[in-house]
Amino acid sequence: MAILLAGALTGVLVVCAIAGLFILRNASGGDPTQLAPGASHQAAPSDGDAEGAEGFVPLDGPPDACSILAETPAKLVPGSEPTPATATDTATSVRCAWGDVGLGDDPRELSVELRSVVGADPVKDAEAQFAEEHDSDKAGDNLLPGQRQRHFGDLDGVGDRAYVRYLTETAFSQGIVNARIGNILVTVSYGGSKDDNTPLSQDTCVKGATDAAAKAVEAIKKMGSA
């Protein structure tokens, strides 16, 4: 079953990509402070570059999605291995997932997408893009057939700005957190089904997604510290 990963602007592309993502089982380790392959650590500041909260220097590429959460996947999806979405990764967008709702008696899925916004004023552009996705997601746009948005709320204390959603289908549910730290957009989804084929509770999904997103944001914040 596909997980809806990204904000409203990337929803259709991500759903198509994730449909084949869980077929892969390539383990990926490494330092959670590393960027994705081919990306340098920080963008060279220019006169037009704006700094984020507390001196965050914009990054010119997203971190490695499969290592940014450190030990969190082992707690939320025990026994799973990271699966990078190499077929759809780009210089500005990377994804990784753990688990599969099609496996086991109590299936779980965790996924993370990291997007870097680049340009003359990357933080300002990221703010605008995040605001647009926030409003679209709040309106319940771009849901899959059969999905229902049961909850939407803004989050405090996760990056520069963040919000969380709880979506359900017949036998599957997920909490999705979208957050922004500087010029990096973070989307974390956590969900699954109970052993009786009913959706996980809102509390379980939202707490798991929020905890994972907070860990990702803190790691990225250290990378962009001036």
Side-chain angles (χ1 to χ4, degrees):
M1 181 175 297
I3 267 188
L4 181 63
L5 276 175
L9 297 183
T10 57
V12 174
L13 175 61
V14 173
V15 168
C16 294
I18 292 300
L21 177 60
F22 294 105
I23 298 174
L24 303 175
R25 281 288 177 262
N26 298 325
S28 174
D31 185 346
T33 63
Q34 291 181 346
L35 293 179
S40 59
H41 194 279
Q42 292 181 342
S46 66
D47 292 339
D49 283 340
E51 292 189 0
E54 301 182 13
F56 185 92
V57 178
L59 306 181
D60 62 1
D64 175 29
C66 286
S67 58
I68 195 69
L69 297 182
E71 301 302 318
T72 301
K75 298 177 181 178
L76 295 178
V77 193
S80 64
E81 295 291 342
T83 303
T86 53
T88 56
D89 284 350
T90 68
T92 59
S93 178
V94 294
R95 303 175 183 88
C96 194
W98 295 259
D100 190 334
V101 294
L103 299 176
D105 296 328
D106 196 22
R108 299 285 189 274
E109 285 184 4
L110 170 67
S111 60
V112 60
E113 178 188 18
L114 305 174
R115 292 173 287 157
S116 61
V117 178
V118 296
D121 197 341
V123 172
K124 184 176 181 180
D125 290 345
E127 289 174 349
Q129 183 170 335
F130 186 89
E132 184 174 349
E133 294 180 6
H134 172 280
D135 293 346
S136 183
D137 284 341
K138 185 176 183 178
D141 296 339
N142 300 310
L143 296 178
L144 294 173
Q147 276 188 328
R148 295 186 64 183
Q149 182 161 292
R150 305 282 185 172
H151 171 77
F152 180 98
D154 293 321
L155 287 176
D156 294 327
V158 180
D160 297 324
R161 190 180 178 191
Y163 61 93
V164 62
R165 298 184 289 157
Y166 175 63
L167 309 181
T168 64
E169 297 177 49
T170 302
F172 174 75
S173 59
Q174 59 184 318
I176 302 175
V177 172
N178 274 24
R180 181 184 68 81
I181 176 70
N183 70 315
I184 303 296
L185 304 181
V186 178
T187 300
V188 173
S189 174
Y190 178 64
S193 300
K194 299 178 184 177
D195 55 10
D196 61 356
N197 291 322
T198 59
L200 291 179
S201 69
Q202 177 177 321
D203 183 67
T204 297
C205 293
V206 167
K207 185 178 186 304
T210 302
D211 289 349
K215 294 289 194 307
V217 164
E218 284 304 309
I220 296 168
K221 185 177 180 180
K222 292 178 181 178
M223 297 173 62
S225 295

